[in-house]
Amino acid sequence: LSAFAGLYFASTFSGGVQISEGIKIAATVVTILSMAMLVRSWEDFSAGTLGMCLAVGTLALSGVTVDAASYSGRIEAVDNANRNAYSLYALPCVLLGSYVFLNSRRDSFFIKGLLAVTILATTLCICLNVNRSGWIGLAAILVMLTYERSLKSAIAFGIAGGLIGWVVVTFFGVSHIEERVASTRTGLESDIGRWNLIVNSFFVGVENPLLGVSPEGLTRELARRLGYSGGQINTHNVFAHVIGGSGVVCFLLLFYCGSTMWRWRPSDGAPAAATVGFRKARRLLRYVLILWMVRGFFTHEIIYSPSFNMAIGLCLGLCALRLPPRFVPRRAPTSYRSAADHPSI
């Protein structure tokens, strides 16, 4: 992780040293490692999840309250940000909060009640912002947690979906949502444009494999290749951003970092019963990584997202907490002919 961050920052040198990029990528590493080291019990993990949910839930409630009377297809939960920005902060909170709500038997009804209210408010805000990346992220969470808890999750999500649907129809209307769905089904120009950005970014990375052309330089290079008159154009994809802006080596480091988390396993020979808790925690970590990849297809800013970085750190800490002790098989006692033959004599 540190090697990826260092190489990513070094790739900015070709476009002029960007101190802001260095600060943001360093904050990413510090956030992940700090959150992982703070988890020393399930209560720590639950408290971190609740804090994240309360933060994004408060933003959602304030945005929904202010914009309810004049809803126009957008809830401004984050000031001076586009409607895609909120789901970047909110999706990992919905995933972790729903996981704790459905799986925890230790937390009180009060904590679960707070989680339920904030998750519902956050999900409502994502739905009302009518952006595809948020909807796809919610769908991914639904599939993953239904796979995790099966019938219990299906019932809980059915109730939540019905409640959110009733609120939308009663207080906001569905005209803007219908327009967004219709435009998604009839128009493919934006999708073709995104695909062209991804393909050209990969070509740029292959041509400059060591350090790319810098993240800032990639926006200008894509504009030149695609004939964009604005002078700069964003990749809107984290994988294209890394491989084109920072090179193939940095992209491989990112892939290796993610695969290491995905393939984390206890020591060989550990009893199966001792690894049950770890395997559950690792599944949650994998769910967060899947959600990171899904949301990363729509923005490169996910690298700096504090919510995703905190979620990854919390899951790493939970995995480390539940990692069984290193298993050392017992050796059969050795018989000796006399006391003189014993190695301790």
Side-chain angles (χ1 to χ4, degrees), residues 215-234:
E216 184 71 18
L218 179 62
T219 61
R220 295 190 293 268
E221 179 64 18
L222 289 176
R224 185 187 66 82
R225 293 192 177 208
L226 297 176
Y228 182 67
S229 59
Q232 290 182 317
I233 185 170
N234 201 310

Side-chain angles (χ1 to χ4, degrees), residues 7 11 205-213 243 245-251:
L7 192 60
S11 69
V206 171
E207 294 168 6
N208 304 270
L210 187 57
L211 291 175
V213 294
I243 196 170
S246 302
V248 176
V249 177
C250 191
F251 178 80

Side-chain angles (χ1 to χ4, degrees), residues 6-19 22 211 213-215 245:
L7 192 60
Y8 181 86
F9 178 55
S11 69
T12 67
F13 294 175
S14 61
V17 180
Q18 298 177 10
I19 301 300
L211 291 175
V213 294
S214 83

Side-chain angles (χ1 to χ4, degrees), residues 19-257:
I19 301 300
S20 60
E21 292 289 331
I23 294 174
K24 289 191 290 185
I25 199 66
T28 294
V29 176
V30 170
T31 300
I32 293 175
L33 298 182
S34 298
M35 295 302 294
M37 290 187 291
L38 286 172
V39 178
R40 290 294 178 265
S41 65
W42 170 262
E43 287 71 22
D44 294 338
F45 177 82
S46 179
T49 299
L50 178 61
M52 293 171 61
C53 290
L54 287 173
V56 298
T58 301
L59 290 174
L61 286 172
S62 63
V64 169
T65 303
V66 171
D67 296 337
S70 58
Y71 176 64
S72 59
R74 180 176 184 270
I75 299 294
E76 191 171 349
V78 181
D79 292 337
N80 301 319
N82 61 34
R83 63 187 180 187
N84 297 322
Y86 180 72
S87 65
L88 188 61
Y89 292 92
L91 286 173
C93 304
V94 174
L95 173 58
L96 294 189
S98 300
Y99 182 88
V100 172
F101 180 83
L102 293 170
N103 289 272
S104 175
R105 297 180 180 178
R106 303 181 187 179
D107 296 306
S108 65
F109 286 106
F110 177 72
I111 291 178
K112 287 192 172 184
L114 288 177
L115 286 173
V117 171
T118 54
I119 291 169
L120 287 172
T122 302
T123 305
L124 174 64
C125 189
I126 294 175
C127 293
L128 290 175
N129 268 324
V130 294
N131 66 301
R132 290 184 301 172
S133 57
W135 291 351
I136 293 173
L138 289 176
I141 293 172
L142 172 64
V143 171
M144 291 186 292
L145 291 184
T146 301
Y147 170 79
E148 178 73 18
R149 294 294 294 174
S150 188
L151 181 61
K152 184 178 180 180
S153 294
I155 294 174
F157 286 129
I159 296 173
L163 181 59
I164 291 173
W166 176 80
V167 171
V168 170
V169 172
T170 304
F171 298 100
F172 296 93
V174 296
S175 58
H176 295 286
I177 297 177
E178 291 175 347
E179 291 175 5
R180 180 60 173 168
V181 172
S183 65
T184 300
R185 296 174 61 183
T186 58
L188 296 176
E189 292 184 4
S190 62
D191 296 323
I192 294 174
R194 286 178 182 270
W195 178 250
N196 289 334
L197 289 171
I198 294 172
V199 171
N200 280 276
S201 297
F202 272 79
F203 281 135
V204 172
V206 171
E207 294 168 6
N208 304 270
L210 187 57
L211 291 175
V213 294
S214 83
E216 184 71 18
L218 179 62
T219 61
R220 295 190 293 268
E221 179 64 18
L222 289 176
R224 185 187 66 82
R225 293 192 177 208
L226 297 176
Y228 182 67
S229 59
Q232 290 182 317
I233 185 170
N234 201 310
T235 59
H236 299 288
N237 183 289
V238 66
F239 306 106
H241 173 81
V242 171
I243 196 170
S246 302
V248 176
V249 177
C250 191
F251 178 80
L252 292 177
L253 281 173
L254 176 64
F255 177 80
Y256 177 75
C257 186

